[in-house]
Amino acid sequence: MNATIAQLKQRFEQALVAAFGRELAETDPILVPASNPKFGDYQSNVAMSLTKKLGKPPQGIAQAIVEQLDVTDLCEAPTIAGPGFINLRLKSSYLEQQLQQIQTDPRLGIAPTKQPQHTIVDFSSPNIAKEMHVGHLRSTIIGDCIARVLEFIGHDVLRINHLGDWGTQFGMLITHLKQAYPEALTTANALALGDLTSFYKQAKQRFDEDEEFRETSRLEVVALQAGNEETLRAWNLLCEQSFLAFREIYDLLDIQIANRGESFYNPLLAGVVSDLDKAGLLVEDQGAQCVFLEGFTNKEGNPLPLIIKKSDGGYNYATTDLAAVRYRIQQDHADRIIYVTDAGQANHFTQVWQVARKAGWIPDNVELVHVPFGLVQGEDGKKFKTRSGDTVRLRDLLDEAVARAKADLEARLQEEGRQESEDFIDHVAEVVGISSVKYADLSQNRTSNYIFSYDKMLSLQGNTAPYLLYAYVRVQGISRKGNIDFQQLGDHAIQLTEEAESTLAKHLLGFDEVLSALEMDLMPNRLCQYLFELSQKFNQFYDRCPILQADEPQRTSRLVLADLTARTLKLGLSLLGIQVLERM
Ligand code: ARG
């Protein structure tokens, strides 16, 4: 309803000028959604804000504004309430005309942005040879949703997987690989690491216990950095093997992402250090090259250094991110760079950006955003773990969601006495299972921790994926039952007579506003909340207004409303990375 608010604002400005003169031309009409639908749709609080300036009681000011306010094409006659609120109710004819405009538009009235930006979304980003954990799952789901929304709005989005594929841990991993699985280096596909976590643990244990292993590992790091062929081959094998496991998860979740891991920036790190040095920012501290930060102090209250190059010559996570931010601006020409990680990395990014800014690498028009998120907790409120206390493997978590969705579905089919094919059951179970996991994550305010509960996320009631998917299925059910081809409805006049119809219509018209807000604050739960309320409002309309049984022209008008609801749900869910079902 952006367009509506913009129009109302303009009309208020005209009325203020007409009533009180030019000097009030720039006054904000303070338009807010009505606190209660009983009062209308919008409320202006401008009269109260002008009492001092005009030296008049707010009631009289409101009266004078209303006398000049010309909104007959948009609203019913404005009313004044309480100390001087001006209440506005949108006219049905106006809503009908607005719906008419979006009805035949595949983008549902949302025009692509006029200012497309080169946007980078850095998300998922697991670490090689370690298992992806639930934190990476959150990053993957939230990052994908943000990328989808920005792409739909019309931005040019580069989705980047900043894989942890470089660093000192590779010394021990490669040494272990060469000793424990030497054939993997010579025979193709001989490396079936299987459980990468246990491989990592074995290597780590040997590293901690065995002095000789440690020394060999150290030499492997040097060899890797020097580009030794055999070492690189081992490194490559580890990366590829690891990536196969990640790919499985991405396929299940329908994620598109380009790999550009930490190793990509390795050749650029020396340049980062020398350029920081040239800029006069480097300070040597106990053999390490550092930049001292503002606003960060250690326990003693002394300024905290960000270590750029360690005393042993190695580089840090932060050094790579410095190289990455510079590369993304200079080579990718990014206008907006979005990093999706757990909230625990907030300081890391603040520090890296502070250094990059000091070095003059961040032009004023480039926006760097950290999109932090909270922890995933078990139903006991503690860190999410398996019953035996291990970290939960993502593959197992997703499989479990699908298995439970399948069991629920089979029970429901039995209850309803329905016969369905194996294919149908498997497909519905997979869509419902995966959607539920995604939706449970996206529907939370991402900055808070959330409790992972299969029962809650799979429920057909409440703010869940199944509830939304079911609203969509309901509309498709109408089309099956009435033998209606929604695409053939064409440009049919909509008539809003019942309250439930207007309520649904107004909500449908609010889609663009939600997307604009999400574009700015990158909060996917806004879109979830919008779609949840849309489903609720549709269900109320469905319960109260006969559709197929209604007489024309109401029947077609209601079919159009139902179809618009379904298309909004389908589009909105697709932006969350969720696929709809025709039947479930
Ligand atoms: N690999 C990191 C982790 O697992 C996340 C990387 C996030 N992106 C970045 N540019 N630092 O915590």
Side-chain angles (χ1 to χ4, degrees):
M1 292 248 210
N2 268 337
T4 307
I5 296 197
Q7 285 204 57
L8 286 174
K9 264 194 159 151
Q10 202 191 4
R11 306 293 173 85
F12 264 88
E13 279 161 18
Q14 287 161 357
L16 283 160
V17 170
F20 303 107
R22 281 258 67 158
E23 64 271 30
L24 287 192
E26 302 283 290
T27 313
D28 178 359
I30 322 184
L31 273 170
V32 292
S35 53
N36 183 330
K38 245 185 14 214
F39 305 136
D41 299 303
Y42 296 104
Q43 171 186 306
S44 161
N45 300 339
V46 70
M48 278 78 74
S49 77
L50 291 175
T51 45
K52 252 213 196 107
K53 187 165 185 177
L54 296 173
K56 289 187 187 140
Q59 280 272 357
I61 298 175
Q63 193 59 47
I65 295 173
V66 166
E67 270 161 28
Q68 299 295 335
L69 189 63
D70 179 13
V71 286
T72 40
D73 53 335
L74 307 172
C75 303
E76 309 287 351
T79 55
I80 299 169
F85 302 117
I86 303 173
N87 290 328
L88 302 164
R89 182 183 302 282
L90 296 173
K91 265 188 180 162
S92 292
S93 57
Y94 173 74
L95 295 169
E96 287 161 4
Q97 169 214 325
Q98 295 284 301
L99 286 172
Q100 212 92 46
Q101 279 176 19
I102 63 172
Q103 195 186 321
T104 47
D105 179 0
R107 293 184 58 96
L108 297 167
I110 301 161
T113 176
K114 292 195 186 70
Q115 282 124 5
Q117 287 186 313
H118 287 289
T119 307
I120 288 180
V121 185
D122 171 326
F123 70 108
S124 193
S125 308
N127 302 316
I128 296 294
K130 289 201 206 173
E131 199 80 55
M132 238 201 237
H133 55 66
V134 277
H136 295 123
L137 180 70
R138 285 212 84 177
S139 174
T140 306
I141 293 173
I142 295 169
D144 177 56
C145 170
I146 288 173
R148 284 173 189 261
V149 170
L150 297 179
E151 281 156 3
F152 177 72
I153 289 174
H155 297 295
D156 158 40
V157 179
L158 186 56
R159 298 153 163 257
I160 289 187
N161 205 352
H162 192 81
L163 295 157
D165 64 355
W166 200 250
T168 45
Q169 79 272 24
F170 279 93
M172 68 179 198
L173 289 168
I174 294 169
T175 307
H176 183 49
L177 178 73
K178 283 185 173 177
Q179 294 178 359
Y181 304 91
E183 67 282 5
L185 289 166
T186 47
T187 331
N189 298 324
L191 181 68
L193 284 178
D195 190 350
L196 286 157
T197 327
S198 65
F199 178 82
Y200 187 89
K201 279 189 194 146
Q202 289 159 17
K204 179 84 172 77
Q205 193 179 356
R206 292 183 68 188
F207 188 85
D208 290 342
E209 290 167 1
D210 182 346
E211 173 65 47
E212 201 186 311
F213 183 87
R214 252 196 315 273
E215 180 53 22
T216 320
S217 299
R218 206 186 55 76
L219 292 174
E220 281 297 358
V221 177
V222 177
L224 181 66
Q225 270 162 355
N228 174 286
E229 210 174 296
E230 209 198 358
T231 304
L232 274 177
R233 195 170 336 127
W235 170 76
N236 230 325
L237 256 171
L238 283 167
C239 290
E240 272 171 18
Q241 195 60 37
S242 232
F243 199 71
L244 284 180
F246 300 154
R247 189 71 262 168
E248 240 181 73
I249 305 281
Y250 294 142
D251 285 347
L252 260 175
L253 294 174
D254 188 19
I255 305 294
Q256 300 295 328
I257 190 163
N259 285 343
R260 199 198 272 171
E262 295 183 25
S263 63
F264 177 87
Y265 304 98
N266 183 54
L268 309 175
L269 301 180
V272 164
V273 178
S274 67
D275 288 344
L276 291 175
D277 197 17
K278 274 183 221 145
L281 294 170
L282 281 192
V283 179
E284 192 172 316
D285 190 35
Q286 297 165 44
Q289 299 294 322
C290 312
V291 179
F292 278 91
L293 298 159
E294 282 152 34
F296 291 92
T297 48
N298 61 16
K299 280 191 225 101
E300 290 78 42
N302 299 320
L304 200 72
L306 182 69
I307 299 175
I308 308 292
K309 191 173 180 184
K310 295 187 279 191
S311 53
D312 67 4
Y315 302 104
N316 276 329
Y317 183 48
T319 322
T320 304
D321 262 321
L322 279 166
V325 77
R326 179 155 79 157
Y327 187 92
R328 291 166 182 184
I329 291 170
Q330 292 180 355
Q331 312 300 318
D332 296 322
H333 307 290
D335 303 305
R336 192 181 194 199
I337 311 178
I338 297 166
Y339 299 78
V340 188
T341 77
D342 62 289
Q345 298 199 32
N347 276 346
H348 162 74
F349 289 112
T350 312
Q351 295 174 351
V352 166
W353 300 342
Q354 190 190 100
V355 172
R357 283 217 163 81
K358 279 191 180 166
W361 298 345
I362 319 290
D364 288 343
N365 59 336
V366 171
E367 191 195 353
L368 304 174
V369 209
H370 181 216
V371 169
F373 53 80
L375 304 172
V376 183
Q377 297 167 315
E379 293 197 61
D380 55 3
K382 299 210 186 92
K383 204 171 165 202
F384 192 55
K385 286 257 156 82
T386 61
R387 221 164 284 155
S388 56
D390 292 333
T391 23
V392 181
R393 299 186 62 223
L394 291 192
R395 182 68 221 235
D396 296 344
L397 179 148
L398 296 171
D399 287 349
E400 169 93 16
V402 172
R404 290 194 188 218
K406 185 167 175 175
D408 286 358
L409 174 62
E410 281 170 338
R412 197 155 46 81
L413 292 178
Q414 181 119 44
E415 235 169 74
E416 295 171 6
R418 270 166 67 190
Q419 280 297 356
E420 297 288 358
S421 70
E422 253 331 281
D423 281 354
F424 173 88
I425 296 178
D426 287 341
H427 177 64
V428 172
E430 177 160 336
V431 171
V432 170
I434 301 292
S435 309
S436 299
V437 172
K438 287 190 179 183
Y439 192 84
D441 198 318
L442 295 169
S443 57
Q444 304 292 319
N445 177 319
R446 58 172 164 72
T447 56
S448 39
N449 298 344
Y450 88 98
I451 293 183
F452 192 94
S453 157
Y454 288 113
D455 287 339
K456 272 213 189 97
M457 68 178 71
L458 288 165
S459 167
L460 266 168
Q461 295 307 323
N463 189 4
T464 64
Y467 180 78
L468 273 66
L469 290 172
Y470 192 68
Y472 182 85
V473 164
R474 256 188 161 172
V475 180
Q476 306 317 311
I478 301 172
S479 110
R480 277 192 298 275
K481 194 159 162 218
N483 215 348
I484 311 280
D485 181 357
F486 282 129
Q487 274 166 23
Q488 298 303 314
L489 290 178
D491 197 356
H492 186 275
I494 295 173
Q495 290 184 336
L496 304 170
T497 48
E498 298 298 315
E499 169 111 25
E501 290 176 298
S502 315
T503 308
L504 177 61
K506 284 173 203 165
H507 200 75
L508 282 167
L509 293 169
F511 192 30
D512 61 346
E513 206 178 343
V514 172
L515 291 185
S516 316
L518 212 166
E519 178 186 12
M520 303 308 293
D521 68 13
L522 309 173
M523 289 292 216
N525 60 313
R526 281 180 184 281
L527 179 53
C528 296
Q529 188 62 31
Y530 171 79
L531 296 172
F532 175 49
E533 286 171 22
L534 177 62
S535 307
Q536 286 179 312
K537 288 177 174 156
F538 172 75
N539 285 335
Q540 273 157 19
F541 157 73
Y542 185 85
D543 290 343
R544 292 178 196 165
C545 305
I547 301 176
L548 291 171
Q549 310 303 326
D551 294 328
E552 289 297 355
Q554 208 156 42
R555 184 175 185 268
T556 308
S557 165
R558 287 183 178 166
L559 284 169
V560 171
L561 264 186
D563 178 44
L564 266 176
T565 304
R567 284 162 55 205
T568 307
L569 277 171
K570 183 173 181 173
L571 175 57
L573 286 168
S574 81
L575 300 180
L576 299 176
I578 293 177
Q579 191 189 332
V580 291
L581 292 162
E582 298 304 305
R583 297 192 303 125
M584 69 190 272

